[in-house]
Amino acid sequence: MSDWASTVSDPPLSPTWAPGAFAGAQALRAHVREEASPTRERTGLALSSPFPQSLPPPPLPPPPAAGSLTRWAVAPETLLSSLCPLLGGGTAMSGGEQKPKRYYVGVDVGTGSVRAALVDQSGVLLAFADHPIEKWEPQFNHHEQSSEDIWAACCVVTKKVVQGIDLNQIRGLGFDATCSLVVLDKQFHPLPVNHEGDSCRNVIMWLDHRAVSQVNRINETKHSVLQYVGGVMSVEMQAPKLLWLKENLRETCWDKAGHFFDLPDFLSWKATGVTARSLCSLVCKWTYSAEKGWDDSFWKMVGLEDFVADNYSKIGVIGADVRGHGLVCEGQPVTSRLAVICGTSSCHMGISKDPIFVPGVWGPYFSAMVPGFWLNEGGQSVTGKLIDHMVQGHAAFPELQAKATARCQSIYAYLNSHLDLIKKAQPVGFLTVDLHVWPDFHGNRSPLADLTLKGMVTGLTLSQDLDDLAILYLATVQAIALGTRFIIEAMEAAGHSISTLFLCGGLSKNPLFVQMHADITGMPVVLSQEVESVLVGAAILGACASGDFASVQEAMAKMSKVGKVVFPRQQDKKYYDKKYQVFLKLVEHQMEYLAIMNDD
């Protein structure tokens, strides 16, 4: 077997483009058995072997023919030599020793940390490590990171999880990451994305909202590609950020740039030396079409004709078995399921056999997550970050910290238990009968697609004690779940049919968050057997790329399992229907207030 193997598939792509194995949305991939493969706030490229930058990558095969999609996989014999510098602590067995176990490494780059896991061929998580990464906010709505700091953290956690493991048994590595923008020069050195000229800060984070003017002008064009992002492009996508760089950092960044990467594609390049982009990244955040390729007229119309002139060389010349749990989706197609990846922000991933255009919801994207299916992606710009903001900004937060520490609990475990104490005989959710929150403190991503919207709280009193903090925390969690219901209703009104939620990510570990989503949407919530399901999802990509499984679907069937199903409490439905009516009134009133203040 040669060092490189390629597989050709149908979608007509640019001849200079070689995307890797499908990249990744964790929940559908981690929970759905029939047909699945990857995407968003966390998307990634899975390759069967990392090639650190200190080592030359193996020779590349000839470029693929026009109209082909090529996936690169590294032969197992090359894997051993390339893993050693990156994985450090592993051991290499002699050729005569054989072990049946096969392992895969999943690496998840979040907003504030990098995590890695070692996963076996049955999907069992055997080792876990995490490491913080730096964030900068030099001015309001400017959020930056360092690609070198992120890569260093990836190396740290990967070495930890493979400590003592025979490297012959590590068959594949998968990445997922936030959709942040990495900027490098022609020699692959970092370039500054800031006015201070600090080239260490060369990543514009996904939640950065500096390009408001640029995205407004892009949306004013009414170009046809916008119908595939819900009719309105988000400031969090890459085109407005690229235009901001061109207009604001022409000399220090734009003119020197040689490569613009989505973060997951940057990681696969660092690991292999191959600049191939993932189809998922380019379709979901860069306006690429899996059917038609790049649309030259869009880039020219918005003022980024530079990419057309250089043939796009700088930006990408390219489940578990749910039976036996009493779920409505049993026996129904995968299109009846909505994956919710919930961490700092939340993403809502739904698929369909035919394209469905949902106003304010990104997509439809063809084959971006499940091959042959169309993806719609709703989202909430701040969820975990909003909960932190509300809790940490309360006057009783120091008391909460002290009491949680004394009990050796997290602050959220303590708040959940405190809510149980003060609810008395009523259901815990009823504590917010007089307190309501509109959660768009960082604008609305879906389904209103309005970044100017603000957060709202109604029902405040002069109380500042721990009870008050706990109830505000509860109202915030409910507001996020009500926002999910708002997105689901928009998707269903456009033609989706959703019956079950599949949750993963950090917030899915919070039982209150999960129960509120079940109660407020009226749908069962499925959780993975492995708590770190996002990491298992990344490892599944590595397993698929290794060649040990014929497809992502087969790897999912073998490596992912349902852990728990949380059903809605139907007796509380009337209460949450009322909360939802108030929720919708909040944004309606905010629009009215804006109209009053803008009235001449």
Side-chain angles (χ1 to χ4, degrees):
M1 179 178 178
S2 63
D3 282 349
W4 291 87
S6 63
T7 324
V8 178
S9 136
D10 306 322
L13 303 179
S14 164
T16 48
W17 214 103
F22 292 99
Q26 319 323 329
L28 278 178
R29 183 182 59 223
H31 297 112
V32 178
R33 174 170 165 249
E34 295 90 315
E35 52 265 289
S37 174
T39 197
R40 168 62 217 160
E41 188 213 299
R42 303 181 188 281
T43 62
L45 183 64
L47 296 160
S48 64
S49 171
F51 290 92
Q53 294 306 295
S54 58
L55 293 179
L60 294 174
S68 69
L69 168 68
T70 304
R71 301 185 205 136
W72 306 119
V74 183
E77 58 266 28
T78 309
L79 177 60
L80 177 62
S81 62
S82 61
L83 275 174
C84 291
L86 177 66
L87 305 185
T91 58
M93 302 291 289
S94 64
E97 296 183 65
Q98 298 291 329
K99 285 193 175 182
K101 275 283 189 181
R102 293 182 173 187
Y103 302 108
Y104 312 96
V105 176
V107 180
D108 167 36
V109 180
T111 300
S113 66
V114 175
R115 308 179 307 149
L118 182 71
V119 180
D120 71 11
Q121 61 210 44
S122 298
V124 177
L125 192 148
L126 303 173
F128 169 85
D130 62 356
H131 192 81
I133 48 179
E134 290 285 337
K135 301 189 295 289
W136 290 269
E137 189 177 1
Q139 54 185 292
F140 181 65
N141 272 339
H142 288 229
H143 298 270
E144 299 166 5
Q145 288 181 316
S146 163
S147 63
E148 293 186 348
D149 176 60
I150 291 170
W151 178 248
C154 289
C155 294
V156 167
V157 294
T158 305
K159 288 177 181 178
K160 286 182 179 178
V161 299
V162 301
Q163 188 71 30
I165 298 295
D166 171 15
L167 297 187
N168 286 293
Q169 295 174 271
I170 299 175
R171 300 283 298 169
L173 176 88
F175 289 108
D176 70 73
T178 63
C179 291
S180 299
L181 177 66
V182 182
V183 186
L184 306 176
D185 68 14
K186 295 175 179 63
Q187 288 74 45
F188 295 94
H189 298 138
L191 285 172
V193 295
N194 48 77
H195 291 294
E196 294 80 11
D198 183 356
S199 59
C200 176
R201 291 151 40 201
N202 69 315
V203 178
I204 299 181
M205 293 179 66
W206 65 269
L207 76 167
D208 187 286
H209 281 195
R210 69 182 66 184
V212 172
S213 170
Q214 288 74 18
V215 78
N216 286 340
R217 280 181 273 137
I218 289 172
N219 286 325
E220 286 170 1
T221 67
K222 306 293 184 183
H223 194 281
S224 60
V225 302
L226 299 179
Q227 67 180 313
Y228 292 94
V229 293
V232 180
M233 180 169 285
S234 168
V235 70
E236 294 172 10
M237 291 186 173
Q238 306 300 14
K241 293 174 181 175
L242 292 164
L243 186 57
W244 186 93
L245 290 173
K246 180 176 181 178
E247 295 178 348
N248 290 273
L249 300 176
R250 184 82 189 227
E251 294 182 2
T252 58
C253 179
W254 185 260
D255 289 344
K256 297 179 180 179
H259 307 275
F260 297 99
F261 285 102
D262 228 66
L263 181 54
D265 293 333
F266 165 81
L267 296 172
S268 67
W269 164 72
K270 284 292 286 186
T272 66
V274 180
T275 59
R277 308 303 207 272
S278 66
L279 181 64
C280 177
S281 293
L282 291 195
V283 169
C284 294
K285 297 298 176 292
W286 297 72
T287 76
Y288 189 85
S289 168
E291 297 180 299
K292 302 175 183 177
W294 295 110
D295 189 320
D296 295 353
S297 66
F298 168 75
W299 297 99
K300 292 176 181 177
M301 186 176 289
V302 302
L304 291 170
E305 63 283 347
D306 319 47
F307 294 137
V308 181
D310 67 11
N311 198 27
Y312 302 98
S313 62
K314 294 181 180 180
I315 62 173
V317 288
I318 233 173
D321 190 344
V322 301
R323 289 174 294 182
H325 293 276
L327 295 173
V328 178
C329 66
E330 284 189 36
Q332 294 185 4
V334 70
T335 53
S336 68
R337 307 169 188 183
L338 185 75
V340 184
I341 303 96
C342 40
T344 303
S345 64
S346 291
C347 305
H348 303 71
M349 324 296 293
I351 61 172
S352 57
K353 288 189 175 181
D354 298 308
I356 297 176
F357 295 87
V358 187
V361 173
W362 298 346
Y365 304 130
F366 183 67
S367 285
M369 188 170 78
V370 182
F373 284 77
W374 293 84
L375 168 69
N376 283 109
E377 178 184 350
Q380 294 162 293
S381 292
V382 287
T383 49
K385 186 177 178 67
L386 176 62
I387 295 170
D388 289 344
H389 173 78
M390 299 293 269
V391 170
Q392 294 172 13
H394 195 279
F397 179 64
E399 179 187 355
L400 169 64
Q401 280 186 305
K403 290 186 174 180
T405 301
R407 289 193 184 179
C408 298
Q409 289 182 304
S410 73
I411 59 173
Y412 296 113
Y414 186 92
L415 283 172
N416 290 349
S417 62
H418 190 77
L419 286 167
D420 285 334
L421 287 176
I422 65 176
K423 71 182 179 68
K424 299 179 182 177
Q426 63 183 339
V428 67
F430 289 25
L431 288 169
T432 60
V433 64
D434 296 320
L435 186 65
H436 310 281
V437 174
W438 178 262
D440 290 333
F441 284 57
H442 198 53
N444 181 279
R445 186 187 296 167
S446 303
L448 301 177
D450 187 346
L451 62 88
T452 69
L453 286 177
K454 306 294 189 293
M456 302 171 71
V457 182
T458 178
L460 295 173
T461 69
L462 290 176
S463 174
Q464 292 185 313
D465 61 14
L466 192 55
D467 288 1
D468 181 73
L469 169 53
I471 295 171
L472 180 62
Y473 155 70
L474 172 61
T476 304
V477 170
Q478 290 176 336
I480 293 167
L482 290 162
T484 292
R485 177 169 170 175
F486 196 20
I487 292 167
I488 290 171
E489 290 194 356
M491 294 178 70
E492 291 189 322
H496 282 276
S497 179
I498 298 165
S499 63
T500 308
L501 304 183
F502 290 74
L503 261 62
C504 69
L507 290 176
S508 69
K509 302 173 189 177
N510 184 333
L512 179 73
F513 185 90
V514 175
Q515 188 65 60
M516 287 299 104
H517 271 73
D519 292 348
I520 287 170
T521 63
M523 297 180 183
V525 174
V526 179
L527 302 175
S528 173
Q529 180 173 297
E530 286 291 348
V531 175
E532 299 294 343
S533 55
V534 172
L535 285 168
V536 175
I540 285 173
L541 289 181
C544 182
S546 73
D548 290 346
F549 298 93
S551 65
V552 174
Q553 292 93 323
E554 181 187 346
M556 288 169 49
K558 298 286 179 63
M559 296 177 66
S560 58
K561 300 175 182 67
V562 169
K564 182 179 181 181
V565 179
V566 177
F567 290 93
R569 292 179 289 227
Q570 297 296 344
Q571 64 270 29
D572 299 342
K573 181 180 184 301
K574 184 177 180 181
Y575 173 78
Y576 290 114
D577 286 346
K578 291 179 179 179
K579 288 282 292 186
Y580 187 58
Q581 290 179 46
V582 175
F583 181 79
L584 297 179
K585 283 291 184 182
L586 286 173
V587 70
E588 181 183 327
H589 291 164
Q590 184 174 158
M591 300 291 195
E592 291 175 3
Y593 305 155
L594 182 63
I596 291 169
M597 297 306 296
N598 289 338
D599 187 5
D600 293 333

